[in-house]
Amino acid sequence: MKVAFVGGGNMASALIGGMLQAGFNASDIDVIEIDSQRADELGRRFGVSVHASCDAWLQASDVVVLAVKPQQIKQAAIELRPHLRQPLLLSIAAGVQARTIAGWLDTFTVVRAMPNLPALIRAGITGAVALPQVSAEHKAFADRILGAVGAVIWLDNEALLDGVTALSGSGPAYVFYFIEAMQVAARALGFDEAQARALAVHTFTGAAQLAAQSEESAGVLREKVTSKGGTTAAALASFDHDRVDQAIARAINAAAARARELGS
């Protein structure tokens, strides 16, 4: 399977790194990257072929991964179209609908996906949807690429990808925001920077791993930490007073609305 990436940013780099670890050959991966510094870095780091523009070499690609920003994807598709055979088009651009991409490229062999930043350490999760015309073989191609950096959830309704974008696509930033706030609070309590970071990060990663490995719900696990009248109860009462749960819901809804705006 020969794979061409259009764009060589963080997510493309994460996917390429994961693919190489999963057994792909560097000689089967090409990247189009117009930034010369980033192009050189990709070549040195991964040993892949990097190009400044589209050309006839694209016709050998079985999969073309659209890894550019939503605002750039239409122009990229227009430039790609004359050079494509009939590959699978795998888009990881937020918001832009699969049928819109299909119209620009005159093909319905399109999978749209939303990976997230933990793909950088092969711990990501991706939501994906395939147009009905995508074959089982092409869907398996997409699953193999996306699965190289973490879990993959296949959806039947593309509208749900806006929710995926808001929840897991943008979600790592919410986690980092909370960790930052915990570190600031720890510093105010008298811990130094290294201690504050260790306490906040290990608490978050440990709790997340416990939630992942436990058969009990997050709510039940929360109750296990919370003693009536204790310190955790005092903290959670403060959260409830400030309606933190509602603020989180509003934030995720705002992200989903922005994803829909990008798509239109």
Side-chain angles (χ1 to χ4, degrees):
M1 177 168 49
K2 292 189 70 64
V3 182
F5 283 81
V6 183
N10 287 335
M11 197 54 65
S13 295
L15 286 168
I16 292 167
M19 289 166 63
L20 294 175
Q21 286 193 358
F24 282 78
N25 296 319
S27 59
D28 290 329
I29 301 174
D30 292 89
V31 185
I32 300 172
E33 177 52 64
I34 60 174
D35 185 306
S36 59
Q37 184 175 352
R38 185 177 294 165
D40 290 342
E41 181 184 347
L42 288 166
R44 287 195 306 270
R45 182 178 175 189
F46 298 119
V48 299
S49 298
V50 187
H51 311 262
S53 62
C54 308
D55 212 330
W57 60 267
L58 266 169
Q59 294 182 15
S61 300
D62 299 299
V63 183
V64 175
V65 182
L66 300 172
V68 295
K69 295 178 180 179
Q71 298 88 339
Q72 301 170 326
I73 194 168
K74 182 177 182 179
Q75 183 60 38
I78 291 170
E79 293 176 8
L80 281 172
R81 182 170 169 172
H83 303 288
L84 298 180
R85 196 168 36 87
Q86 281 295 317
L88 168 68
L89 277 300
L90 172 57
S91 172
I92 59 172
V96 185
Q97 296 180 5
R99 289 192 178 276
T100 301
I101 296 168
W104 292 332
L105 291 166
D106 194 26
T107 177
F108 284 95
T109 312
V110 178
V111 167
R112 183 180 156 209
M114 177 49 57
N116 66 357
L117 192 61
L120 289 169
I121 58 169
R122 322 294 176 243
I125 185 164
T126 300
V129 65
L131 289 182
Q133 294 86 347
V134 174
S135 68
E137 181 184 29
H138 274 148
K139 188 174 178 180
F141 283 177
D143 194 75
R144 186 179 169 203
I145 291 170
L146 299 170
V149 294
V152 183
I153 295 176
W154 285 94
L155 305 168
D156 294 325
N157 181 0
E158 186 177 356
L160 290 174
L161 275 185
D162 292 329
V164 172
T165 301
L167 188 62
S168 60
S170 299
Y174 317 153
V175 174
F176 301 145
Y177 184 97
F178 200 92
I179 290 174
E180 283 183 288
M182 289 178 70
Q183 289 180 219
V184 170
R187 291 299 304 276
L189 289 171
F191 297 100
D192 65 32
E193 186 172 349
Q195 292 168 335
R197 174 181 168 82
L199 287 165
V201 171
H202 282 275
T203 298
F204 221 105
T205 56
Q209 288 172 15
L210 178 58
Q213 295 175 22
S214 176
E215 295 181 357
E216 296 176 318
S217 70
V220 170
L221 292 173
R222 171 180 50 78
E223 290 172 357
K224 285 189 171 184
V225 185
T226 309
S227 300
K228 185 175 181 180
T231 58
T232 307
L236 293 177
S238 178
F239 282 158
D240 289 341
H241 178 269
D242 293 335
R243 298 181 178 178
V244 171
D245 56 343
Q246 295 180 33
I248 292 171
R250 287 194 300 272
I252 292 173
N253 287 330
R258 180 56 181 154
R260 289 190 291 271
E261 289 174 2
L262 289 171
S264 62

